[in-house]
Amino acid sequence: MNTAHRPRRLAATVLAAALAGTGLTVAVAPAAHAAASDIVAKLPIETYSALAVDNVHQRVYVADSRTDSYYNSGIIAVYTFDGERVTTISTQQHVSGLALSADGATLYAGGRDWIYRVDTTTYQLANASYASTDNCGRSMAFSGGQLYFTTPYSSYTSLCDSSLTYLDGSAGRSNWQDHGKLQLESGPGDRMLMGQPLNANAADPFVTVFDTSSGTLVRNAARRFADADGKGALNMKDLVFSADGSKVALADAAYGHRLLNTTDLSDADTGYQALPSGATASAVAFSGDGKYIARGASATGSTPDLLVQPADPADSTAPLEFVFEGSLDGNRVAPRGMEWSADGSRLFAVTTNTAGNQYWLHIIQPPAVQYDVRLDGTFTHSPAQAVAGEPLSVRGRLEYDGPAPTEPLKVKATRTDANGTHDLGTFTVKEDGSYTVLDEPDLVGDATYTVSYLGDLTHRPATDVTHTVSVGKAPTSIALTAPAEASMSTGVEITGTFTAQGKALPDRAVLKVERTDRLGTGTLSSVTVAADGTFTINDIPRTRRATTYTVSWPGDDLHQASTASATVTVTR
């Protein structure tokens, strides 16, 4: 099934409301969220086009988008509200775009030359209808009792993003058209949104509202966002009506999440707070009960990829913050990748990796209570002088609010040095809040350790902390064993041992040997250290009296130099 129940992966901020005049704080969340959980399913797709939620049968549909070849087939994966895969629907042609009929009986999927109909009780394909050829990817919406879909076409799929797109429907071509992959979204009161992505043929994209009640599209409010200098253009990734239809929310990669009045698409009196620094808006969804908005984003590290907060922007209740990071969760919320269940109890979020070729389905039931976590910025490390190629321990502390977690918390650590940033993995936090990051730095110079706590379902992500360690060269040593006296006739034999700590030398060390006597100093033949670190020096002295033998190694990029001397009294 590739489904995981993950009670500790997501990070969240406490939803709290200050009690007037008391200074106390209480948790606030809908009763339906009492059973907090995060279920993750690895989707059987390498591309993504659409997500649809069938509240009648409690099913979730996810479609791929392999539009790059005429010969590609299509995949629609079907899941329960608990994340179990029910079936996978295969189509002869590629698919893109999904829409459900008002009664939930029929799922519509856009094919290359067809609009597929799927029975939502049997999952069987039936009664496909012909549609103008699409080789770029459709968007679909069911509104006013009719199905509407886009038909983009380009002679070269590399030009799809700026191709001419037509707005078609079950009643035929509407004659509305423009460049780019136009996106559709239905809403309450027989209304439908159409938004234009930023593209080479649309420097100032639009969003508009249609009235679909009469069976003929009537365009109401419309808006473009660039100023007289061409700045501020919309870079739309997602669009949605609020539950009552009075507001429109846009995921604008250039701005964040915009909140507009549906009647004229003017800015709402109060908008949503900015996304955390480093996050770019990618998706948006209002809960079916009208209480909450989910704001999806693309971010890295411990920066949240998802905020869930009250739909009313005037409500200052702190948002839930969710982090997606790594092979178990994906790295960001996919554009147009979120939907809620009608009762607001579940949020369905499609995430993708950095490359955009793997996808995950998260089924999130937000918790009733979440707590803050803090990473202490005071560290210790041992040994006090770190050396390249030897183990290093960096110790820190984590503090958390609320009850003790049912499973140990884990922190993530990286090391940044002159060669870049290196992932060191995760490290368990002990019951007393301490943790130890284990590493073996392999480069001389400053190494900066960054520790992150990405959170879990009941704990929010913490602010990253850093600790810089100066990494030195590993020591080496030379030990000599020499006779006190030797004669010129029998010669001198000196044995020794060369030891190098840290990273193993790439080759055996070659030692320089010098002899100093009353006639001066000269260099003898160098000696190569054996595999066990030993070496032997043999010499015939050239004169009597004290003779000093000095053995040295110059060091390398990771090891210190070393030297040792021995004095022998030479007789005739």
Side-chain angles (χ1 to χ4, degrees):
M1 289 293 182
N2 290 326
T3 301
H5 292 258
R6 314 264 321 280
R8 297 187 52 77
R9 172 62 185 87
L10 294 178
T13 309
V14 178
L15 271 180
L19 293 178
T22 67
L24 298 177
T25 301
V26 295
V28 177
H33 295 168
S37 68
D38 169 33
I39 299 169
V40 186
K42 186 68 180 292
L43 293 167
I45 58 177
E46 297 178 355
T47 57
Y48 167 75
S49 67
L51 168 71
V53 176
D54 177 4
N55 289 285
V56 176
H57 305 97
Q58 294 200 340
R59 295 292 183 263
V60 182
Y61 298 89
V62 184
D64 70 351
S65 182
R66 301 171 63 221
T67 58
D68 57 329
S69 172
Y70 178 88
Y71 301 101
N72 286 344
S73 57
I75 293 175
I76 304 171
V78 186
Y79 292 84
T80 69
F81 274 21
D82 293 321
E84 300 295 332
R85 195 197 305 180
V86 178
T87 187
T88 299
I89 303 168
S90 298
T91 59
Q92 185 175 0
Q93 297 182 348
H94 65 68
V95 294
S96 58
L98 296 173
L100 281 159
S101 61
D103 59 4
T106 303
L107 175 74
Y108 298 93
R112 179 182 175 91
D113 301 302
W114 303 92
I115 300 300
Y116 294 105
R117 290 177 171 83
V118 179
D119 186 308
T120 55
T121 57
T122 65
Y123 312 113
Q124 297 298 309
L125 294 168
N127 300 322
S129 57
Y130 174 76
S132 297
T133 300
D134 151 54
N135 67 341
C136 294
R138 301 186 193 274
S139 179
M140 308 182 73
F142 194 90
S143 182
Q146 292 193 42
L147 178 69
Y148 293 92
F149 53 90
T150 61
T151 304
Y153 183 83
S154 175
S155 298
Y156 303 96
T157 55
S158 61
L159 301 178
C160 277
D161 287 343
S162 57
S163 65
L164 187 64
T165 297
Y166 297 90
L167 176 55
D168 296 335
S170 51
R173 179 146 289 177
S174 71
N175 294 322
W176 291 101
Q177 59 183 283
D178 212 318
H179 290 277
K181 295 181 180 180
L182 303 179
Q183 298 296 317
L184 306 179
E185 180 73 16
S186 60
D190 294 334
R191 283 174 290 195
M192 183 175 73
L193 284 168
M194 183 166 72
Q196 182 181 37
L198 185 67
N199 66 82
N201 289 323
D204 188 12
F206 66 82
V207 61
T208 189
V209 179
F210 286 102
D211 182 338
T212 61
S213 60
S214 66
T216 301
L217 291 175
V218 177
R219 201 213 79 189
N220 293 153
R223 182 178 175 184
R224 300 178 190 270
F225 292 81
D227 60 19
D229 296 324
K231 298 178 180 179
L234 176 69
N235 188 358
M236 189 269 299
K237 300 299 180 182
D238 199 0
L239 69 175
V240 66
F241 284 103
S242 61
D244 63 3
S246 65
K247 295 290 188 290
V248 169
L250 305 177
D252 181 353
Y255 175 87
H257 290 94
R258 296 179 180 270
L259 187 64
L260 312 176
N261 297 305
T262 301
T263 52
D264 58 3
L265 295 181
S266 61
D267 292 338
D269 291 339
T270 304
Y272 297 114
Q273 78 275 28
L275 287 170
S277 177
T280 302
S282 64
V284 63
F286 284 100
S287 63
D289 58 5
K291 295 181 179 179
Y292 294 94
I293 183 172
R295 302 169 61 200
S298 173
T300 59
S302 59
T303 301
D305 300 281
L306 171 63
L307 303 181
V308 178
Q309 63 189 79
D312 181 0
D315 189 331
S316 60
T317 300
L320 308 180
E321 295 180 353
F322 297 82
V323 172
F324 304 108
E325 190 74 14
S327 61
L328 296 179
D329 297 287
N331 298 91
R332 54 193 171 94
V333 178
R336 305 211 72 190
M338 295 194 305
E339 295 283 349
W340 287 83
S341 60
D343 63 1
S345 66
R346 288 174 173 83
L347 173 65
F348 306 95
V350 174
T351 61
T352 184
N353 60 347
T354 302
N357 57 12
Q358 297 183 60
Y359 292 86
W360 294 255
L361 173 64
H362 290 258
I363 302 176
I364 304 165
Q365 290 181 270
V369 180
Q370 295 115 14
Y371 301 98
D372 287 343
V373 174
R374 295 167 297 281
L375 290 168
D376 192 328
T378 301
F379 289 87
T380 61
H381 65 266
S382 61
Q385 176 55 64
V387 297
E390 289 199 346
L392 174 69
S393 298
V394 178
R395 297 178 178 86
R397 295 189 65 83
L398 175 148
E399 297 177 345
Y400 59 86
D401 294 338
T406 56
E407 298 177 19
L409 302 182
K410 293 181 182 293
V411 295
K412 178 182 178 182
T414 62
R415 167 176 33 90
T416 301
D417 54 29
N419 284 342
T421 299
H422 315 276
D423 187 0
L424 304 181
T426 58
F427 302 88
T428 299
V429 179
K430 296 180 180 179
E431 290 185 4
D432 64 358
S434 65
Y435 60 85
T436 301
V437 174
L438 301 177
D439 187 31
E440 190 174 290
D442 56 6
L443 195 66
V444 172
D446 284 347
T448 298
Y449 291 86
T450 300
V451 178
S452 306
Y453 176 69
L454 301 182
D456 59 32
L457 193 61
T458 55
H459 296 89
R460 66 169 300 182
T463 301
D464 293 352
V465 290
T466 60
H467 179 61
T468 300
V469 177
S470 178
V471 180
K473 292 186 176 184
T476 64
S477 63
I478 298 172
L480 300 177
T481 301
E485 291 185 359
S487 67
M488 294 177 62
S489 58
T490 59
V492 176
E493 181 176 278
I494 299 174
T495 59
T497 302
F498 173 79
T499 303
Q501 297 182 34
K503 190 174 183 180
L505 300 179
D507 300 300
R508 294 181 184 179
V510 177
L511 308 181
K512 180 181 179 180
V513 182
E514 292 183 318
R515 178 184 63 198
T516 301
D517 55 25
R518 61 178 178 154
L519 300 179
T521 298
T523 301
L524 305 181
S525 297
S526 59
V527 60
T528 300
V529 177
D532 63 357
T534 61
F535 60 88
T536 301
I537 300 168
N538 289 290
D539 180 45
I540 301 297
R542 60 183 178 176
T543 186
R544 293 180 294 115
R545 299 182 185 173
T547 299
T548 299
Y549 293 88
T550 301
V551 182
S552 61
W553 186 67
D556 61 15
D557 290 343
L558 299 179
H559 298 84
Q560 299 173 3
S562 56
T563 185
S565 298
T567 299
V568 179
T569 299
V570 179
T571 63
R572 190 178 295 277

